[in-house]
Amino acid sequence: MKILVFLKKTPDTETKIQLTSNNAAINSSDVKFIINPYDEYAIEEAIQIKEKNAGTEVVIASFGDESIRELIIKGLAMGGDRGLLISNEGLQDADSLTVAKVLAAAVKKENPDLVLLGKQAIDDDNMHVGPMLAELMSWPHVNVVNKLTLDGKNATAEREAEGGLVEVYKFPLPAVIGANKSLNTPRYAALPGIMKAKKKPFDVKTPTDFGLDKGQLQGKVKVAIKAYQYPPQKAAGQVFKGEPVEAMVAKVVKLLREEAKVL
């Protein structure tokens, strides 16, 4: 079988985000970028499936600029077989639907049995692309998946729902799966894997290679980011000390009742 895993480049969770002087974009000059953490669970799941099913090919792919190459190679070092970088030149401001259209075209070309990606990206947190991709392909889709079981041309997925509930879905392949963090524990790329990854097949394509018209894609972008702003600063907390415990508790209760209005 063939598994296609899509990853996205996102800022490291420990990076302090700085905006450009006009607040029109994120200043990326000092930002460390990583594989979107949820996408790492997708990569790991694909590799585990490969280890259980001889002859499985895992393709690590992304839509972006040349800087994503090293992240795709990391996925290859984890155990992927082939890398695919789809250039976003001229489409750097593509919205979720445009990205999904490009990925759908790549999926049609690659013809995989399964598409895996993270349940969402940690930068914009939209959770759009996976469902849109599945809809464009008319494929089954399950997101926030905690457990995935394959049985020939069929699959069963357990997903996390609100209130601690677990939903179970049975569906035929091919399908699109959004990985949750409880799906597995991603492995580290060991040095031998890193050395081998640099010699694995790696293709660079453009949307045109998949039969798409870049001009038409540009013209159909419907969402544009006008500006960014930092969240409002939280008020400093109050510290009570040097008084009897009963008196301090009474003050806290009063604040919760009169200011926070949670009591």
Side-chain angles (χ1 to χ4, degrees), residues 146 159-167:
N146 295 329
R159 72 177 298 273
E160 182 178 306
E162 294 183 3
L165 298 177
V166 175
E167 298 175 345

Side-chain angles (χ1 to χ4, degrees), residues 176-193:
V176 179
I177 297 296
N180 195 18
K181 63 181 180 181
S182 52
L183 182 59
N184 53 54
T185 302
R187 67 193 69 191
Y188 289 101
L191 182 59

Side-chain angles (χ1 to χ4, degrees), residues 53-90:
N53 298 272
T56 297
E57 180 188 21
V58 175
V59 181
I60 310 295
S62 186
F63 176 56
D65 57 32
E66 182 63 27
S67 66
I68 296 181
R69 177 185 290 268
E70 63 179 276
L71 302 183
I72 296 177
I73 291 176
K74 179 182 177 181
L76 297 178
M78 291 172 65
D81 299 297
R82 176 163 59 89
L84 172 61
L85 168 58
I86 308 167
S87 173
N88 71 342
E89 185 178 356

Side-chain angles (χ1 to χ4, degrees), residues 4 39 41 48 54 86 91 125 128 133 177 184 189 208 219 258:
L4 183 56
D39 296 339
Y41 299 109
Q48 290 189 17
I86 308 167
L91 293 168
D125 239 15
H128 288 167
L133 169 60
I177 297 296
N184 53 54
T208 304
E258 297 179 1

Side-chain angles (χ1 to χ4, degrees), residues 69-127:
R69 177 185 290 268
E70 63 179 276
L71 302 183
I72 296 177
I73 291 176
K74 179 182 177 181
L76 297 178
M78 291 172 65
D81 299 297
R82 176 163 59 89
L84 172 61
L85 168 58
I86 308 167
S87 173
N88 71 342
E89 185 178 356
L91 293 168
Q92 291 89 339
D93 296 325
D95 57 13
S96 300
L97 182 56
T98 303
V99 172
K101 288 178 179 178
V102 173
L103 300 190
V107 171
K108 291 175 182 177
K109 185 73 172 181
E110 289 288 336
N111 193 30
D113 301 282
L114 180 65
V115 172
L116 289 167
L117 67 173
K119 69 166 187 172
Q120 66 195 95
I122 63 169
D123 51 2
D124 53 33
D125 239 15
N126 284 332
M127 203 181 284

